[in-house]
Amino acid sequence: SVAMPATFQVIGAYSFSGNPNLKTITVNANTIEECAFIGAKVQTFTAASNLVSVDSAAFANCSSLKTINLPATVTTISDSAFVGSKNITTIKIDAMTPPTGGVFEPEVYENATLVIPEDAEPAYRAAAGWRNFFDTITGDVDNDGVVDVADINLLINIMLHHSEATANSDVNNDG
């Protein structure tokens, strides 16, 4: 286990990469730089209240990583921050506004639980990357606020006529 004091503001690139003995990490840093923990055997990562960003490949290929705890202050998670880390089961984020980025492996979307503030759910459902945690199909193709026969007709017409699909045609919210 590693618990870093508040004086550590940045976890530098490759600081703990490949570390086989690191199981639990608690940091007070405001930035975790690229590849900081790449390939480490970390199981639980917890960031204190001042983390702002997690850079690219920071936790790439961390096959043992199961639990991520992020504070309300986090605003950016690189799209590749957790690439190859497929065994994550719990992601807890205290932020009301979804961090930008936050793209995970398909297995994570299928198997992990996303824990967010209750009032933040609409924002996470609408945010790229984060919306993939919600098993919803809105079906409101014409964006009139109702799922009805008009949506089915429009979807069929789009498919049959090979029309360009609009953003409103995204029935499974995958972007």
Side-chain angles (χ1 to χ4, degrees), residues 133-157:
F133 282 102
F134 300 94
D135 293 326
T136 60
I137 297 177
T138 62
D140 187 13
V141 179
D142 61 8
N143 205 28
D144 65 355
V146 179
V147 177
D148 57 14
V149 174
D151 295 303
I152 295 169
N153 287 334
L154 180 56
L155 186 58
I156 289 170
N157 283 325

Side-chain angles (χ1 to χ4, degrees), residues 43-122:
Q43 297 171 0
T44 302
F45 171 73
T46 301
S49 63
N50 56 339
L51 182 69
V52 175
S53 66
V54 181
D55 292 348
S56 64
F59 290 92
N61 301 320
C62 289
S63 60
S64 299
L65 184 59
K66 302 282 187 210
T67 305
I68 302 167
N69 298 298
L70 300 172
T73 54
V74 67
T75 59
T76 305
I77 299 174
S78 168
D79 286 346
S80 62
F82 296 96
V83 68
S85 298
K86 300 177 180 183
N87 297 314
I88 299 167
T89 58
T90 305
I91 302 168
K92 181 180 182 293
I93 303 177
D94 294 333
M96 290 295 294
T97 301
T100 58
V103 177
F104 296 89
E105 296 291 342
E107 294 86 352
V108 176
Y109 291 121
E110 293 171 13
N111 301 316
T113 300
L114 177 64
V115 180
I116 55 175
E118 185 175 331
D119 293 341
E121 185 174 329

